[in-house]
């Protein structure tokens, strides 16, 4: 009876051991399956992709120095252009200040008065041009007259004075060349200027003093 009971215990122990081993084997199979599944689902090796990204980054970094150098050149050119533009603006400002400091030109009233005097002068010239000629003289009188005319011609001014023009503090003598009738041919003379060989020496009250080569100074009335 005891033997049978011991055999039953041994068999029960063996069955229990087999069951434990079976359970352990099952658990190991389950863990192996889970490891295989995890291995299949694991991401690929990031090494090649990382090396590729690093290579592209190195290529990009290699192109940066030339771009930086080109940007520096552009910035230098821009700075030079700004300096040149500033210098030109300064010169323009100086020119504007010089122009603003110049005396103003003749007013419309001055031009109107000058035009009126020109009209009177043109009428006088036309009257002289239409005057009747003197009868012919003898050869001797003609020769004497030619000499007198030559002398008178040298002493007669080759222009007609029109008046005084004032621009700021500067005074000018307006002179119309002989034979001219247009307003645009009027010359504004300062002391030192010459017209048809006559040099203006001075402007006095109601007179303009000219130097005539070979005849000295001549004072002409200013209308």
């Amino acid at each position: 009876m005891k033997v049978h009971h011991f055999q039953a215990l041994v068999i029960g122990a063996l069955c229990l051991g087999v069951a434990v081993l079976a359970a352990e084997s099952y658990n190991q199979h389950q863990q192996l399956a889970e490891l295989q599944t995890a291995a299949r689902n694991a991401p690929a090796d990031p090494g090649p992709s990382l090396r590729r990204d690093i290579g592209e980054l190195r290529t990009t970094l290699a192109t940066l120095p030339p771009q930086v150098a080109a940007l520096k050149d552009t910035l230098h050119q821009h700075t030079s252009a700004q300096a040149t533009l500033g210098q030109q603006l300064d010169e323009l400002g100086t020119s504007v200040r010089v122009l603003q400091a110049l005396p103003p030109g003749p007013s419309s009233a001055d031009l109107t008065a000058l035009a009126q005097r020109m009209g009177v002068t043109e009428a006088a010239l036309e009257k002289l041009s239409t005057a009747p000629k003197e009868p012919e003289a003898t050869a001797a009188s003609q020769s004497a007259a030619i000499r007198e005319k030559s002398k008178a011609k040298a002493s007669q001014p080759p222009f007609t004075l029109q008046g005084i023009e004032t621009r700021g503090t500067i005074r000018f003598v307006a002179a119309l060349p002989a034979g001219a009738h247009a307003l645009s041919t009027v010359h504004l003379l300062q002391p030192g200027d010459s017209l048809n060989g006559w040099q203006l020496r001075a402007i006095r009250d109601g007179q303009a003093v000219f130097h005539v080569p070979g005849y000295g100074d001549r004072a002409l009335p200013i209308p």
Side-chain angles (χ1 to χ4, degrees):
M1 193 66 185
K2 292 180 178 181
V3 173
H4 289 291
H5 184 67
F6 179 75
Q7 289 180 348
L9 291 174
V10 170
I11 292 172
L14 291 174
C15 290
L16 182 60
V18 171
V20 172
L21 290 175
E24 184 67 23
S25 176
Y26 178 77
N27 290 333
Q28 290 181 354
H29 280 291
Q30 285 293 107
Q31 292 177 359
L32 180 60
E34 291 176 359
L35 289 174
Q36 289 177 349
T37 301
R40 285 193 299 269
N41 295 332
D45 184 11
S49 177
L50 183 59
R51 286 191 293 271
R52 183 175 61 256
D53 294 340
I54 292 175
E56 293 177 355
L57 182 58
R58 286 178 178 174
T59 302
T60 303
L61 289 176
T63 60
L64 286 179
Q67 295 178 1
V68 172
L71 182 60
K72 288 182 178 179
D73 292 340
T74 302
L75 182 59
H76 178 69
Q77 293 176 359
H78 183 65
T79 303
S80 300
Q82 283 186 336
T84 302
L85 180 59
Q87 183 179 1
Q88 292 176 353
L89 289 176
D90 292 339
E91 294 176 355
L92 180 59
T94 303
S95 300
V96 170
R97 287 191 294 271
V98 171
L99 291 176
Q100 291 176 346
L102 292 176
S107 63
S108 58
D110 295 335
L111 293 177
T112 302
L114 181 60
Q116 292 176 354
R117 290 196 294 269
M118 287 293 300
V120 174
T121 303
E122 290 177 0
L125 291 174
E126 291 179 358
K127 184 177 181 180
L128 290 175
S129 61
T130 57
K133 297 181 180 180
E134 297 179 356
E136 296 182 355
T138 60
S141 61
Q142 286 180 353
S143 178
I146 290 174
R147 288 193 298 270
E148 291 296 331
K149 288 181 179 180
S150 177
K151 183 177 180 180
K153 184 178 180 181
S155 60
Q156 289 296 324
F159 48 77
T160 303
L161 298 184
Q162 304 298 311
I164 295 292
E165 296 294 332
T166 302
R167 295 185 179 181
T169 59
I170 303 175
R171 302 175 69 196
F172 298 88
V173 174
L176 178 68
H181 303 283
L183 182 61
S184 59
T185 59
V186 174
H187 291 258
L188 297 180
L189 305 178
Q190 286 183 276
D193 295 341
S194 297
L195 179 60
N196 295 334
W198 287 49
Q199 184 182 30
L200 179 62
R201 285 290 184 87
I203 302 175
R204 300 173 181 171
D205 293 338
Q207 287 185 334
V209 179
F210 287 86
H211 177 73
V212 184
Y215 292 91
D217 293 342
R218 286 281 308 278
L220 302 179
I222 299 175

